[in-house]
Structure formats: C-alpha cells, structure tokens
Amino acid sequence: MKLKIFLFFLFFSHLSFAYEFMPFDMNTRKVIEKRYIDQPLIISFWSIDCPYCINDLKKLGKALSKNTNVKLITVCVDGKESAIKAERILNQANLPKHEQYQYAEVDEDRLRYNIDPAWYGELPRTYFYDAAHQVTPLSGKISNSFLDKWFKK
Amino acid sequence: MFIIHFLKEQVMRKLNSIIKFFKKIIFLLLILFCETSFSHEGHTHGPSVVASVSFDKSGTLWRVREQQGFVIVDSSNDQGLNFSKSINVNNELQKIGTSGDAKPKITIGPEGNIYVTWTQTLSKPYTGYIWFARSKDRGKTFELPQIVHQDKSEITHRFDTINVNKDGRIFVAWVDKRDLEKAKLQKKEKEYKGAALYYAVSENFGESFKAEKKIIDSSCECCRIGLTNDSKGNIIGMWRQIYDGGIRDHAVAKIDINDNIVVNRATFGGWKIDACPHHGPAITRGGDWGYHMAWFDGGEKAGLFYGRIDGDAWVSSPSKRFGNANFQAGHPSLLSINEKVYLAWKEINESDNYIVLAISEDGGKNWLEAKKIKKTEGASDYPELIQFNNKAFLSWNTIKDGYQLIALE
C-alpha cells in the first residue's frame, strides 16, 4: 500500500517537474508588466540552444542575490517538448525562486514580434524595467558595468 | 536442529525481502520509463513547420520535413499541389533540429541520387550529430543513414548544409565545437571565441565521406551556412564569422576540390554582439563576375541587406538595404537565372507572416519594387527559392495554409 501511495506521488511529482513552466503567450508580457507595476523587473528570454544564455542567467542570479527588491522573470523560447532539458539547464543557473515561463504559441516569430517588434530573435534578450518601468532592452551578453550601473539606479 | 531451522527461516526471509526489494525497483524503473516516454511523446502533432525542397531532372519536386522524431520525404508531380505518401529516412526515433536556422535539407545529384542531411540533437545542451542518407532508387527507399563526421564526441556538430556540384561531388558543412572544447581543456590565456566550421566530402556519390576538415575557427555558433559553386564546381561558402572585438560580420570562402581554402571578409556591418543571432546568410552565383549575397545585420541599423562580391578580387559592392526592419525583414533566399535575380525574405506584422520578393533584371545592379507575394495567419517557415528548367519558384511551408509552391514571373 505504502508503495502504491509512493508511486502515485512519484508519478505526479515527476510530471509537475517536467511542466513547471508557465505558458507565455501573446498577452503575457502585458500581464507581467501590470502585475509588477512600480517594481523593478528583469525579463530574460533564453533558449536551450544558446550557450550565451546560461552564462547570462548565472550572472543575473548572482546580481539578484544582492538586490532582492528586483523581480526576475525567465522565459524559455523553446516549446514545451524541451521542458525537461530547459528545466535541467535552468537549475544550473542558481537563480532565486522566480516565475519561469516557456513559449506557448505555435507561431514563435509572431510572438516575438508581439513582444517587441525591434527584437529579431537574437538571444539572450533581456528587458530591464526600473521602478517607473522605463525599459532598457539588451541583446547578448550582459556586461558587469551595465549591471552595476543599472542596479545602482 | 531447531537452531538450523531458525537460521534457514532467517535466510529465506532475507532472500524474500531482497526479491521483493528488487521487484519494487524494477516496477519503479518501469514507471519512470513510461513517464519519460509519456512526457516526451505525449503530445501528438503533425510535421514541424520547416520544409526543404528540390526538383529532380524530370520536374518531380522532392520535399523533406520532420515529424515526431523522423525525417520524412515525399514527392509531388504536380508542382506541390499533391504529394506522395511520405517515407521515413531514419528508422530510429531521434530528436531532430528544426528550430531557429536548423532544418533537414534535401538535394539531388546529377546522376539522380537523392540526398538528405539533418542534425540530430543530443542530450547535452548545444550538442548534435550531422546525419546523411541517400536514395539510389528515386526515393523508393533510403539507405541506412550515416554520421558524416568521424569525431563522435557529444559536442556541437550542428547546422548542416549540403551542396552537390555538377560532377556529383557532395560537400556537407556544419558548425563544430571540437576546437572550443580543446581550448577549454588547455585553458589558454586567449579565450576561444565562437565555434568552427568543418566539412566532409563524398567523391563516391554518397557511399562514404572522407575525414572531415576545418574551414575556419571562430565562426558564429548558431547561424546557417550558405553554399554555392563556382563554374568549375568548387565550393563557395558564406557564413557569419566572429571578427576582432566580437564583431559578427560575414565571410566568404572558396574551398576547391583539392581542399585549398581562401577566406575573405564579405560584409562590414560591424554588429558587435555576444549572442546567438539565429540568422544565417544566403549566397548564389551570378554571372562571370561573382556572387550575390543576402544577410541580416542586427544592432542600431538592423535589417536585411544585399550585396555583390567579386569572384576574383573578393571585393564587395556597397550593401543595399531591403525590406522593412519594423516588420522583422530577414531570413533571405537568393536565386539567379542568367541576368535575373530573385531575392525573397520573410516579414511579420500584427496579423500575418508574409513573403516579400524583389527582382532584378540586370544581375543585381538595379531592382524592381519589392512585392508581398504570399501571406499566412499562422506559423511559417523561411522562404526557399528553387528552379526547374530556368524557371523560378518560391517554396514556403505554412501551418494554416499548408505547403505553397509559387511559380514566379
């Protein structure tokens, strides 16, 4: 009996592990912006296929451990079939507990256009929102000098 | 006697509990195994949105796509309206690269062999193998696929590209990180930037490949490679290269049939970025003078560009901007038939994905006004321009409106 209960839990815990990401669709960016209005916020778009992304996430994790007032959101741009691999990579980044999303639109190109028409798909892509939600978009590796300056703001 | 009996019972109990324990373990493993396959394949879907096509000599259109871990090939005798039943190229389920600039490719040799390449995505991040398969019986069957590279370590071998020249010589190139891995182990003072490009050649119509060779170090990690031939059948390649200061401009190279490699810088956009652009170039041969090139540049002057490069002196013409950068103009395809040049690319607006086409009638010197030629509401592949008997076609796969093959004027 105990074994059955154990298996029951194992089955569901494993499933929830695989699908811990929340769906990111056409409206999600606006919803997030509204939810965290008046709060500094970093939204980081990353992919399991992008070697620069994991290093950036690690860097963000380190910086955020000293700046706990800044909210972090990560968005994996790979579909849910990559959830297990994405979870595995994200776990290596030592990020604080945060909202994790994953693309949930078939038309990923249009989703990207919807998020930001001036973003052409290069990764990592990070949006830094200050408390007044002035947004600084950044493509590629985040430099230490940029991070220091932004966090001091 | 009693003691022996007691001991026997103890041993039996122990044995029983061991057997029970193992039964539990096996049961658990079975459950885990079922779950894993469940979570990998629990979603049912049709082919992914990417498709690559090629005409054979008789005008049959051959198409390759990916469907649930299989590379599938079918053909059409009525210019893409109806397709035959598809056949699987790989027999064993694989994760196949179809995102960003990755997709399976199909091409046909002058002798009629059909060749397919694809990237198998491996378990470790960014890793893969480049696979090749051949059909010698006009697509009825494909032979057992082979990995084209001899290095089988679980590292990056991705973004396959295939070219078959007029003599049937097969050239497969890809992005490869063996040199980066080596540099990491050696802990050199100077950091190894980017990846490398490697290629393997088959001179027996796909029977086997010679050991792979390196084209260059420090290529971009995640952009497709453009390939074409010069009039003698040598390879002309174009790719995004990392130049000093982390600038990602494009290089062209001539790789002749004796493996002599001459590399030149082809574009000067100065996009400085440590990122994966997921945005590779297109190149095709023009007249005797050289080659047409199309590429995307990011940064402040982001957009799609076209230029010509001399085939002897390797001098680029000033680049010309195409498309609307506000609508994501990018992912170009080029086709040149005599003096006529076709340049197609993809754009996106609030409601649609659409393809824009620009035509030059004088070898790329002057261009007619670009026109939107097809749109779709859902997801779509990047465009491919192909030709049959000197007639140009646009090939474009869409989810909502299906596969489109459009004859161009």
Side-chain angles (χ1 to χ4, degrees), chain B residues 358-379:
Chain B
I359 293 177
S360 163
E361 291 175 332
D362 58 4
K365 290 189 205 93
N366 298 286
W367 291 80
L368 307 174
E369 197 189 341
K371 283 185 185 140
K372 263 191 207 184
I373 54 166
K374 196 78 193 173
K375 66 173 187 178
T376 185
E377 273 180 18

Side-chain angles (χ1 to χ4, degrees), chain B residues 188-209:
Chain B
K188 280 190 179 159
E189 255 175 58
K190 203 176 163 209
E191 185 193 355
Y192 186 99
K193 288 267 187 194
L197 296 190
Y198 274 74
Y199 71 96
V201 166
S202 171
E203 287 175 338
N204 52 14
F205 305 98
E207 189 68 35
S208 60
F209 280 82

Side-chain angles (χ1 to χ4, degrees), chain B residues 20-65:
Chain B
K20 262 191 187 167
F21 177 74
F22 274 103
K23 271 187 181 165
K24 279 179 195 177
I25 293 281
I26 287 167
F27 192 37
L28 277 173
L29 280 175
L30 268 175
I31 290 274
L32 270 174
F33 178 73
C34 290
E35 271 182 63
T36 319
S37 50
F38 172 78
S39 40
H40 274 299
E41 295 151 43
H43 52 283
T44 51
H45 56 75
S48 49
V49 71
V50 294
S52 173
V53 292
S54 204
F55 278 112
D56 69 15
K57 267 185 187 157
S58 68
T60 299
L61 182 75
W62 292 90
R63 175 172 72 168
V64 65
R65 291 175 298 164

Side-chain angles (χ1 to χ4, degrees), chain A residues 7 11 14 19 48-49 51-52 54 81 85 88 107 109-110 112-113 117 119-120 122-123 140-141, chain B residues 27-28 35 39 99 122-123 126 158 177 221 248 274-276 296 325-328 346 348 350 353 378:
Chain A
L7 283 175
F11 188 75
H14 193 72
Y19 294 106
I48 59 168
D49 275 338
Y52 295 96
I54 180 71
E81 62 277 6
K85 201 169 183 179
R88 212 169 61 213
D107 190 350
D109 290 344
R110 203 160 80 81
R112 189 185 64 241
Y113 174 80
W119 172 29
Y120 301 94
E122 66 279 6
L123 287 167
K141 196 160 106 180
Chain B
F27 192 37
L28 277 173
E35 271 182 63
S39 40
S99 63
L122 302 173
S123 153
Y126 334 120
R158 297 198 297 167
K177 280 198 181 154
E221 302 92 331
R248 293 189 187 232
D274 286 326
C276 296
F296 174 84
N326 295 327
F327 295 132
Q328 302 267 316
K346 178 169 160 174
I348 302 160
E350 282 77 6
N353 281 210

Side-chain angles (χ1 to χ4, degrees), chain B residues 290-344:
Chain B
Y291 303 88
H292 304 282
M293 310 181 290
W295 68 93
F296 174 84
D297 262 339
E300 276 168 22
K301 44 180 187 180
L304 175 67
F305 295 89
Y306 163 86
R308 293 162 30 121
I309 191 160
D310 188 292
D312 291 321
W314 299 106
V315 178
S316 305
S317 68
S319 58
K320 179 176 165 60
R321 184 185 272 272
F322 277 89
N324 191 331
N326 295 327
F327 295 132
Q328 302 267 316
H331 306 287
S333 180
L334 274 168
L335 177 68
S336 164
I337 301 173
N338 301 323
E339 283 295 276
K340 208 158 179 178
V341 191
Y342 300 83
L343 170 62

Side-chain angles (χ1 to χ4, degrees), chain B residues 375-388:
Chain B
K375 66 173 187 178
T376 185
E377 273 180 18
S380 69
D381 191 11
Y382 306 144
E384 273 186 19
L385 292 166
I386 55 166
Q387 65 160 313
F388 175 65

